[in-house]
Amino acid sequence: MKVLVLSAKTYEFTTQTGERNCGVTLWVTDSDSVEPQEKIVREQIHRGIEPPTKISIIGEPEKIELFPIVPAIYDLELNLKGKFKSAEFLRTLEGE
């Protein structure tokens, strides 16, 4: 899916139980353009750029290297799961 990656940052912290958590947080929008758009979804008018979604690529902070230019449009294949949009990163197909 083509997404506009607005922000990419690594994270690392240790929980109270001593477990180490790390990965990459992406803020993305599925708009493939930074130009405001208008569309109708279920008879509702949507104008502008969709609000960003926070996605975490858990356990792989080195994936930050796949996003050398941000903001930019990337074609990503993500296996989204869970309430908080955790993602198993599958691949970056291209960056524009």
Side-chain angles (χ1 to χ4, degrees):
M1 97 172 98
K2 264 193 176 171
V3 296
L4 175 59
V5 178
L6 300 169
S7 172
K9 70 173 190 168
T10 59
Y11 66 87
E12 183 175 346
F13 63 92
T14 304
T15 67
Q16 291 178 341
T17 61
E19 182 182 354
R20 179 180 166 262
N21 286 323
C22 63
V24 175
T25 298
L26 302 176
W27 283 94
V28 306
T29 181
D30 64 1
S31 296
D32 59 7
S33 169
V34 294
E35 296 298 319
Q37 302 172 12
E38 182 172 309
K39 62 184 176 181
I40 298 177
V41 179
R42 292 189 294 274
E43 299 180 20
Q44 304 296 314
I45 298 171
H46 293 235
R47 289 188 178 134
I49 297 173
E50 291 292 323
T53 300
K54 182 179 180 182
I55 296 174
S56 293
I57 301 171
I58 299 170
E60 300 182 87
E62 67 279 358
K63 295 291 187 193
I64 191 78
E65 299 303 323
L66 297 173
F67 305 96
I69 299 169
V70 176
I73 296 171
Y74 287 91
D75 196 355
L76 302 178
E77 188 174 335
L78 298 170
N79 182 13
L80 299 179
K81 56 187 174 191
K83 177 178 167 184
F84 298 106
K85 302 288 187 212
S86 295
E88 174 190 337
F89 182 85
L90 299 177
R91 61 185 163 149
T92 298
L93 300 177
E94 66 183 68
E96 296 177 8

